[in-house]
Each structure stands twice: as structure tokens, then as C-alpha cells.
Amino acid sequence: MSEYETVGGSLKLKGIGDKKAKKKKDKERKEDKLREGVERTMQAVDSMASLEEVGSKKEIVDNRTPAERAFARVQAEREALRIHKKAQKSHKEKVAELNSYLEKLSEHHDIPKVSWTK
């Protein structure tokens, strides 16, 4: 057997030919959830529009579960708190606070100087 004789077979490259069939994602479920969300928002918009047109004080029907209502309430509170916190400091105060934080860091965190000439 000489050095240039082949043993047989071709090269097997990774990722070529060994692909397994992927499971198809359930698009219908995602589309149904999207449709439900759109329908809810449309109902809310319609009910708001009808309240404005009629001018009467009708109660808006909320189809959410108590847990969903509580979650939305807490989320709104957190967002209001976050906005209030950000609005308290001016840009100058934020920059000063960042500079003081960076000064407290050790030199280990500094970006090393890179020189291409040496």
C-alpha cells in the first residue's frame, strides 16, 4: 500500500448532512394569543370610544383575572417609582455620581493603554 492510496470514503464535515429534523413551532398558538391580545385592546378602545360618545358613566368590563389585575397594578407602580427616581437627579448630579463611583474602583478595572508604536 503506497502513501497516496486512499482508504475509502469521503470526508465527514460537521454540520453537513447530519441535520436532524427540527420540530415545527406551534404558530397557531402564538397567533391565537396575538389575536386575543388584539381583540382585548380593540374592545377596550371601542368601550372607551363608546363612553366618550354616549357621555354616560358606564362601568368598563375587565376580563382579566385578579392576578393579572394585581400584576398590572404593581407594574404601573414600579414604573411610576422608576420615573420619579430618574426625575429627581439632574444630569450634572448623575455625572458626578458616576465619576465618584469610577474613582472608587481599583486600577484593575482600568482599560490598559495600547500603543502600536512600541
Side-chain angles (χ1 to χ4, degrees), residues 53-71:
E53 290 173 4
V54 174
S56 63
K57 295 183 178 179
K58 291 184 179 178
E59 196 171 313
I60 298 174
V61 178
D62 193 6
N63 294 334
R64 298 182 296 176
T65 64
E68 288 175 330
R69 281 188 227 119
F71 176 75

Side-chain angles (χ1 to χ4, degrees), residues 70-111:
F71 176 75
R73 181 181 47 81
V74 169
Q75 212 173 20
E77 289 174 3
R78 286 183 183 161
E79 185 178 3
L81 181 64
R82 190 179 323 119
I83 291 171
H84 181 70
K85 234 181 179 180
K86 286 187 177 184
Q88 284 182 339
K89 293 184 184 177
S90 67
H91 177 70
K92 188 175 184 179
E93 292 171 343
K94 290 177 187 176
V95 170
E97 184 179 313
L98 176 66
N99 286 335
S100 65
Y101 169 74
L102 292 175
E103 287 175 2
K104 291 178 185 177
L105 290 177
S106 66
E107 291 182 15
H108 173 74
H109 296 287
D110 286 346
I111 299 171

Side-chain angles (χ1 to χ4, degrees), residues 21-83:
K22 293 183 181 180
K23 292 183 181 178
K24 293 184 180 179
K25 294 181 182 178
D26 192 7
K27 292 182 183 179
E28 291 179 8
R29 187 179 310 159
K30 289 181 183 179
E31 290 173 358
D32 288 342
K33 286 183 181 180
L34 183 63
R35 283 188 198 119
E36 288 175 8
V38 169
E39 287 174 4
R40 281 186 186 174
T41 55
M42 293 302 292
Q43 287 175 355
V45 169
D46 291 341
S47 63
M48 292 294 243
S50 65
L51 284 177
E52 291 174 0
E53 290 173 4
V54 174
S56 63
K57 295 183 178 179
K58 291 184 179 178
E59 196 171 313
I60 298 174
V61 178
D62 193 6
N63 294 334
R64 298 182 296 176
T65 64
E68 288 175 330
R69 281 188 227 119
F71 176 75
R73 181 181 47 81
V74 169
Q75 212 173 20
E77 289 174 3
R78 286 183 183 161
E79 185 178 3
L81 181 64
R82 190 179 323 119
I83 291 171

